[in-house]
């Protein structure tokens, strides 16, 4: 296992940078509540070119080394408890953006992030939706 920034990873920084993206698991150490997500390692922007109809594709490195999460709840927890109260783990890397998207979906479904509960009946994951399409409040228990 490698330490890459605040991430624990089975991959080196060079392997991660060479990939299109990765799936990750963030765990609050005290409560055990988790979050499954994805991060692209490259940012792709389309910029207009004067006198042309098509836009130019501009690729740059994303902020994945300092990235925490897109989850409002995870980021609120980091603000409240500090980054050290959480464990950041890279699960897998992917060679394309499509594979990264599918990898996140597969991981979230396999872990049943919308319905999984602990022995006390509390949700194990703070994911509220999958693909902005399937929502916890509409998932059957």
């Amino acid at each position: 296992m490698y330490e890459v920034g605040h991430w624990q990873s089975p991959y080196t920084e060079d392997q991660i940078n060479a990939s299109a993206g990765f799936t990750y698991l963030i765990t609050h150490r005290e409560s055990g509540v988790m979050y499954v997500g994805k991060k692209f390692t490259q940012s792709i922007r389309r910029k207009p070119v004067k006198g042309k109809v098509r836009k130019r594709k501009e690729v740059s490195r994303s902020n994945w080394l300092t990235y925490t999460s897109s989850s409002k709840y995870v980021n609120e927890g980091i603000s409240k408890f500090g980054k050290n109260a959480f464990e950041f783990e890279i699960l897998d890397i992917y060679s394309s953006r499509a594979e990264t998207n599918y990898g996140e979906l597969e991981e979230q479904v396999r872990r049943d992030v919308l319905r999984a509960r602990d022995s006390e009946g509390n949700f194990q994951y703070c994911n509220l939706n999958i693909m902005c399409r399937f929502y916890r409040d509409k998932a059957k228990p």
Side-chain angles (χ1 to χ4, degrees), residues 30-44:
E30 188 177 320
S31 68
V33 174
M34 298 170 276
Y35 179 81
V36 175
K38 70 166 185 268
K39 179 66 178 162
F40 295 118
T41 57
Q42 296 177 342
S43 178
I44 299 172

Side-chain angles (χ1 to χ4, degrees), residues 2 9-21 41 64 93-94:
Y2 298 97
S9 172
Y11 306 99
T12 65
E13 186 173 346
D14 290 338
Q15 289 173 313
I16 297 166
N17 279 326
S19 72
T41 57
W64 72 266
I93 59 175
Y94 302 92

Side-chain angles (χ1 to χ4, degrees), residues 31 117-124:
S31 68
R117 294 179 184 258
D118 62 17
S119 60
E120 296 172 4
N122 300 316
F123 285 108
Q124 288 184 308

Side-chain angles (χ1 to χ4, degrees), residues 23-88:
T23 52
Y24 62 83
L25 176 68
I26 298 174
T27 307
H28 184 245
R29 295 178 200 275
E30 188 177 320
S31 68
V33 174
M34 298 170 276
Y35 179 81
V36 175
K38 70 166 185 268
K39 179 66 178 162
F40 295 118
T41 57
Q42 296 177 342
S43 178
I44 299 172
R45 303 202 189 287
R46 302 226 179 245
K47 296 212 171 179
V49 179
K50 190 173 182 177
K52 303 270 184 178
V53 175
R54 288 188 182 197
K55 294 181 179 182
R56 176 177 44 125
K57 188 179 187 183
E58 193 174 272
V59 178
S60 60
R61 250 180 100 192
S62 75
N63 64 340
W64 72 266
L65 256 169
T66 57
Y67 179 78
T68 52
S69 177
S70 60
S71 168
K72 176 177 89 172
Y73 298 104
V74 171
N75 288 323
E76 284 174 359
I78 290 170
S79 294
K80 185 176 180 180
F81 303 112
K83 208 184 237 186
N84 291 335
F86 294 84
E87 189 174 305
F88 297 83

Side-chain angles (χ1 to χ4, degrees), residues 119-138:
S119 60
E120 296 172 4
N122 300 316
F123 285 108
Q124 288 184 308
Y125 294 87
C126 60
N127 292 71
L128 298 179
N129 69 73
I130 295 177
M131 297 176 54
C132 294
R133 197 166 183 179
F134 305 102
Y135 294 87
R136 174 182 285 172
D137 58 350
K138 295 182 179 155

